[in-house]
Amino acid sequence: MTGIGGVEMGAQAARSRALAVLRVRSRALAVALLPAAAAVILLVGGSTGHLAGGGWDVLRWVVSVLALCVLLAAGGVALVVARSRPAVTPTVTVAEESAPDLYRMVRDLADRLDVPAPSAIALTPDCDSWLEDRTHPAHGPPPAEKHHDDLAGPGGPAHRRSATAPVLVIGSPFLWWMRVGELRAVLAPVVAGTGPSAHPDIAAARRFIRGLDAAVAVASAGRRDPLSRVACAGLGWASRLLLRSCRGHAAEMERGVAAAAAERAQAVDYGLRIVAQEQVGLAYAGWDRLLTRVALPAWRMGRWPSRLDVGVVAALTELSRRDRLAEGFASRLGERPACDLLEEPGVMDEAVSLLAARLFHGGPAETGADWSPVGWEEYPEEVVDRTWRTDAARLHRVLDTLGVRRAAEGAAPGTDGPTLARVLDHLATPDAASTAPLTAGTDAQAAGTETENGPDTPPAAPDAPTDAPQPAYEDPDAPTDAPQPAYEDPDASRLPFGDSDASRPSYGDPGASRPPVDDFDAPQPPYGDSGTPHPPYGDHATPVLTVPAEDDEDDLADTTARGAALAAGLTAQLAREEAEARPAGARAPSSAPGPAAGPDDALWDDRALPLLPLQPPRTGREILTAHITAMVCCAAMDTAGAAPALDWLDGPSLLFDGARTADLAPSVLSLVETGDPGPLRAWMTELGIRPEKPVRLV
């Protein structure tokens, strides 16, 4: 009885707030009609002879013109609000024939909750699940298959514009990581929200708020000609005024909807939902780690991992084993995974992986010569090795631009190629260079460079043109047929999860402001409706482009002069390369028919990508550190037999004899910040890396 009473109280509170929102709309309509009513009174009074005279005639004309202008403006605002396309989340639609078991489970869940079943199911590359209304005419026709028996709510048939239930959007990591029972428990409070969504007043209030939001976005787009700018300014002012008037009522309405859904869902799998709470937190952590550490380096190389959801399972398995965060993990493996509810999970995983690359990085809509999929078994060679060698080649191109000598006079033959010693000698300060342990063949190079050019002056340009293409250098002494170890070493010692980048913002942090779906009992905002905490997707979203920072003076204040100059050169070079590649990465989707499962391109506009960049632009110091680290790894692979590898939680890593090496960051930072190559040279000496030997670049 308590649960039923809570449901009724929440629903009644939501309906009362919805009526308050609709009253704001009615008041706005009344204000727009007020000048017209005054004009009618004046005209009728003049025709009957009661309001006669010159003054009344002038007043009639003024009020009539004013009423006409107000009616035209109000009609234009109403038309834009009604016709503007609300923002829609980019998703991959799951057809019923491709997941009959999943649809059957959701409908059975809706029957137990006594609410309408969702009209369709879609997947999103996000760790969350919600309901989304796609009944607006701009979103296309409703699904062909309708289950009218499922759409009849407890209060009778819904309004004609709410005949189609919302779409259930499920985070794809939940399907691959959770068991069937856990997924059912997590979706229970989400599906329960279809009941309040079917009420005519709540549906009308939500449509009004979404229309206002879309109108504000249209007004913000602006136009070039003065008349359009004035019209957009008026539209934006009126829409924002109405939104501010509805804000409080809309928030309370959504809280009532969430409270009613949470109360109704308590009757279904309540105990299992508490157990699944831990798995939701793990999914957030693993998905964030996989995207920022593993997928992002591949996207930057023009490759997109085609099995991201399989990778998140591997990452979460490694996280559970390494930090022992999931008790009873072995027992969960014997239960049926939720991805078995799909007929072809591999096809869905590939479609979601491509959508994630588009949303978080701005990749093209389809595979091409510069945008191809990569499997996890190919990741070490195709992504890690290529990333390091590309960064190393860029580093030496910038050094050529700065006029840094490839080798000092009197250096050993064969040392004029792209060597790590060239980088170390250029960045080392005189005091640090004189005390650092130098390997054979580098003393003359370091001494000649510093003596001729001074501590903070770039060396003279070499005789050969610096813009000539660089040949690929091979080390005849380096082993070429050494076996490559596996990309994951279960026995390697690693840093605890999360210690290496505590300052980086987390994409899927369970403690973020966005409420997680596992807080089942607390009143939450609605799932995917006007008050949803999700960022605005679609053609009205404000794009945020990931570009190198323009001003890194503060960031490079603590570095040496040569380090700051090299960082500025690398930042400029990266900006030029990204600018050249951006048109290909932001092209519109092809009109050719795509695969059976793919993003719903008709529902959202992808002219400005990425919509949701994972990380802020890298600073000059971070770019310089990454390039020096890449050069060190290339020297280790070519001169000491190291191998590239993939760590599921930390991304690209370097293996020596099958074991992961220690963290390079402190040694590289010592070189960048103070110009002291001593710690890095000691690390290389211990592992047998020869910095004076040329490395192979791409």
Side-chain angles (χ1 to χ4, degrees), residues 348-367:
M348 290 295 173
D349 193 1
E350 184 172 356
V352 173
S353 301
L354 181 58
L355 177 59
R358 301 190 67 194
L359 290 178
F360 301 123
H361 184 66
E366 54 191 12
T367 300

Side-chain angles (χ1 to χ4, degrees), residues 640-673:
L646 165 64
D647 185 272
W648 289 113
L649 298 177
D650 295 329
S653 59
L654 189 67
L655 295 185
F656 272 93
D657 298 328
R660 184 179 172 185
T661 59
D663 192 6
L664 270 174
S667 302
V668 174
L669 285 178
S670 176
L671 175 65
V672 170
E673 295 177 353

Side-chain angles (χ1 to χ4, degrees), residues 523-547:
Q524 298 179 12
Y527 300 93
D529 289 295
S530 58
T532 178
H534 293 278
Y537 299 97
D539 54 349
H540 304 313
T542 302
V544 182
L545 302 180
T546 303
V547 296

